[in-house]
Amino acid sequence: MSRLSLATQRRLFGWGIPIPIVAIALWVWSPGLPVFFGPSARAADIQAGRELFEHEWAANDPLAHGDGLGPVFNAKSCAACHFQGGLGGGGSLANNAVGYEIFPRPNDPEFHTGTIHAFSIDSTSKESLAALKSVYPIVRGRSVQRMEGCAPETVPDFDPVRTQTVQATALFGAGWIDLISDKAIYNNQRNRRASTVAREFQLDFTSVPVGRVPTTDDGRVGKFGWKGQTASLSEFVSAACANELGLGTPTVRQATPLRGSASDVEPDLDRKQVKALVAFVKTLPKPEEIPSNAAAAHGKDLFKTVGCAACHTPDLGGVKGVYSDFLLYTLDNPNPSGGGYGSDPPRLLNLPPRPEDKPKPEEWKTPPLWGVADSAPYFHDGASPTLASAISRHQGDAATVTKAYQALNTDDQAAVIAFLNTLRAPKDVPPVRPRQ
């Protein structure tokens, strides 16, 4: 066997260096592998998960391995808040929850988040906004002498409590969303930025600002929750069990009452039960886009023209019809309900600001629009009863889109709504069983 010449060896070595570099660059800049197959699970697990999803839990419930429901909770079953359009859908205004943030204070430099629970097992654990404010009272103002010889400066009163109302979202298609890769979300964001820069070079400054990727503490993309606070469906289900029902899981402890301490009981759900619940939720069918008439087809074109599709991306990561880019945007609701946004701590208190990686009060993750026709009322707080009113509430980063929609004539606006009404809940979703 003849040996390669020195020149040939050098050429091969020369080609061997750039090829891996190019391959790595192509992978880094690629959208990743698309979703080829939908979520699946064993029929037995799905059935067991449905029974747990519909089960009405009680304190010391025989199905629980710990203390059962509570001690604080927002509902007695998953189905109580997820029923619109079928089992697993969104909830009504009555199912809204109040989330809170606690800013750092002089005696506590940490940033806290949680939920004011509507119900409790006993009166000593009962929660309310007044109870929250008694635990985290107003930091009273005072005069501060910063430099000798200078007049003292007044530090105003500072309320460390911020609250926001959120509604239960539909879970249809959640298993498909779980399969969308982080790379697909980052790639879409990067492409949007490149497109925006290209348009600005042409003196077109009408592009919708590009949102930021919500990330968890370990750096993964948050695809679930109104703020994108959870990365995977399994974690989302466990967090919901612990926080909304007070059912601890092997990975998330049950919610602790405002005036209590963490209980030392066993997790209420074991790994097999959590696996079954996730199996049921992830195999809920995805919403569908029903055949449209001429007006709805025209509305779909206008949906893109006015800029709605910039954030409500129709297809992402191989999942068609999801209508979301899963990025955080500032929406600036001028009339927040369920509490106030407030401001950062006064500068003179020398307290840490809000952590940069945490979503701001006015930032919300783009909700998937599939199934939107069957998920009224709208917006994070459910304060928009119609699709038209929800569109009008889009301010901040979406203000130019809202203006473009409002500039349409009446027929064109109706066409956009007609298109949105083609985005329906799935037909083959399990029905909600009547309560006993």
Side-chain angles (χ1 to χ4, degrees):
M1 183 174 180
S2 61
R3 299 178 60 184
L4 297 174
S5 67
L6 181 60
T8 301
Q9 291 182 48
R10 287 176 174 171
R11 282 197 298 270
L12 291 174
F13 180 76
W15 280 107
I17 294 176
I19 288 176
I21 294 175
V22 171
I24 292 171
L26 288 174
W27 171 249
V28 169
W29 288 88
S30 78
L33 294 175
V35 177
F36 292 110
F37 304 102
S40 62
R42 294 191 316 132
D45 287 340
I46 295 172
Q47 180 57 36
R50 177 175 179 176
E51 291 171 4
L52 291 170
F53 193 90
E54 295 184 289
H55 181 70
E56 189 162 305
W57 296 88
N60 301 309
D61 196 290
L63 287 185
H65 302 275
D67 58 5
L69 183 73
V72 288
F73 57 97
N74 283 326
K76 294 183 177 181
S77 77
C78 302
C81 295
H82 295 282
F83 57 85
Q84 281 188 318
L87 190 63
S92 66
L93 288 176
N95 305 114
N96 280 8
V98 178
Y100 65 79
E101 297 177 337
I102 308 300
F103 273 72
R105 297 161 294 139
N107 62 337
D108 183 0
E110 298 299 318
F111 182 80
H112 303 281
T113 61
T115 299
I116 301 176
H117 296 91
F119 307 103
S120 62
I121 295 299
D122 59 70
S123 58
T124 61
S125 299
K126 188 173 180 58
E127 299 183 347
S128 65
L129 180 59
L132 178 69
K133 287 182 174 291
S134 70
V135 175
Y136 301 102
I138 289 175
V139 178
R140 294 301 176 187
R142 61 183 185 274
S143 294
V144 176
Q145 184 82 39
R146 299 188 67 188
M147 297 180 63
E148 187 176 349
C150 295
E153 297 184 53
T154 300
V155 179
D157 288 354
F158 170 59
D159 186 352
V161 176
R162 309 285 182 271
T163 60
Q164 291 181 306
T165 300
V166 294
Q167 61 172 336
T169 57
L171 301 174
F172 304 138
W176 289 84
I177 292 173
D178 199 33
L179 295 173
I180 296 174
S181 70
D182 290 3
K183 280 181 64 63
I185 294 171
Y186 277 112
N187 182 74
N188 180 67
Q189 180 198 44
R190 187 166 51 240
N191 290 342
R192 282 267 317 278
R193 284 176 173 166
S195 175
T196 298
V197 170
R199 293 181 65 171
E200 289 178 352
F201 270 117
Q202 299 173 6
L203 303 182
D204 181 351
F205 300 98
T206 60
S207 297
V208 179
V210 183
R212 64 188 182 110
V213 177
T215 55
T216 58
D217 291 340
D218 58 4
R220 291 174 297 155
V221 174
K223 293 181 288 187
F224 297 95
W226 279 105
K227 298 283 188 178
Q229 62 268 37
T230 311
S232 73
L233 183 59
S234 177
E235 292 166 322
F236 181 75
V237 169
S238 286
C241 287
N243 195 47
E244 306 303 330
L245 302 172
L247 299 176
T249 74
T251 56
V252 185
R253 297 179 69 102
Q254 64 183 195
T256 301
L258 281 171
R259 293 195 179 97
S261 56
S263 60
D264 199 25
V265 298
E266 291 293 315
D268 295 293
L269 303 181
D270 60 22
R271 295 186 184 280
K272 183 178 179 181
Q273 289 172 309
V274 173
K275 178 183 176 183
L277 259 177
V278 173
F280 172 71
V281 175
K282 79 176 182 178
T283 55
L284 285 170
K286 64 180 179 178
E288 54 194 57
E289 188 171 335
I290 64 174
S292 59
N293 56 28
H298 178 51
K300 187 172 184 177
D301 291 335
L302 290 170
F303 183 83
K304 298 176 183 178
T305 302
V306 300
C308 300
C311 308
H312 292 286
T313 308
D315 309 323
L316 188 67
V319 178
K320 295 186 178 299
V322 68
Y323 289 98
S324 175
D325 61 3
F326 299 94
L327 301 182
L328 291 170
Y329 290 90
T330 296
L331 294 183
D332 281 338
N333 178 10
N335 297 301
S337 62
Y341 292 162
S343 58
D344 286 350
R347 175 177 51 83
L348 294 178
L349 288 179
N350 292 320
L351 293 172
R354 164 190 294 279
E356 287 293 328
D357 60 334
K358 301 296 183 184
K360 298 179 178 64
E362 65 274 16
E363 283 186 316
W364 301 93
K365 185 202 71 186
T366 306
L369 287 187
W370 58 5
V372 69
D374 295 307
S375 61
Y378 304 106
F379 248 69
H380 59 273
D381 54 6
S384 298
T386 65
L387 288 166
S389 63
I391 294 173
S392 296
R393 277 186 66 183
H394 283 67
Q395 300 300 320
D397 291 337
T400 56
V401 178
T402 301
K403 290 179 181 178
Y405 168 79
Q406 293 173 337
L408 298 174
N409 62 46
T410 303
D411 289 342
D412 283 347
Q413 288 185 10
V416 173
I417 302 301
F419 158 64
L420 293 175
N421 279 322
T422 67
L423 307 179
R424 313 294 307 199
K427 293 178 181 177
D428 53 346
V429 67
V432 178
R433 292 171 181 167
R435 294 284 177 184
Q436 298 295 328

